């Protein structure tokens, strides 16, 4: 028997009344989807930290993106709350 780490016992559960095979397929697909989103977020972080930014203003009043604020977390904090 193949042993694997499954602390939440997701391999033996069902979601939305589907079969176990359909549940595992759904969980596998959602893990791939969230992994792709995480990879895209990482690429965005790297692009932003290298000083690449959008050339247009952030809002209609002409406020530019806060690319001069420094690192990506500092840029995130420099965004307006509106």
């Amino acid at each position: 028997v193949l042993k694997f780490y499954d602390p939440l016992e997701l391999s033996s559960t069902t979601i939305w009344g589907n079969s176990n095979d359909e549940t595992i397929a759904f969980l596998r697909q959602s893990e791939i989807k969230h992994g792709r989103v995480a990879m895209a977020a990482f690429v965005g972080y790297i692009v932003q930290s290298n000083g690449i930014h959008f050339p247009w203003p952030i809002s209609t009043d002409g406020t530019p993106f806060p690319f001069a604020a420094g690192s990506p977390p500092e840029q995130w904090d420099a965004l307006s709350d509106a």
Side-chain angles (χ1 to χ4, degrees):
V1 174
L2 179 65
K3 295 185 180 188
F4 55 93
Y5 183 70
D6 187 16
L8 298 177
E9 299 179 2
L10 293 174
S11 63
S12 61
T13 189
T14 59
I15 298 176
W16 298 305
N18 292 334
S19 69
N20 191 359
D21 290 337
E22 291 172 338
T23 299
I24 290 174
F26 170 78
L27 293 173
R28 182 177 294 137
Q29 181 181 1
S30 66
E31 183 175 2
I32 291 170
K33 177 182 69 173
H34 288 98
R36 289 176 179 165
V37 169
M39 287 187 280
F42 179 73
V43 168
Y45 186 91
I46 296 300
V47 166
Q48 188 178 10
S49 64
N50 284 319
I52 301 170
H53 57 86
F54 294 120
W56 54 82
I58 194 169
S59 63
T60 56
D61 65 356
T63 305
F65 280 92
F67 59 89
S71 68
E74 292 168 348
Q75 293 176 18
W76 185 260
D77 291 337
L79 288 173
S80 65
D81 293 333

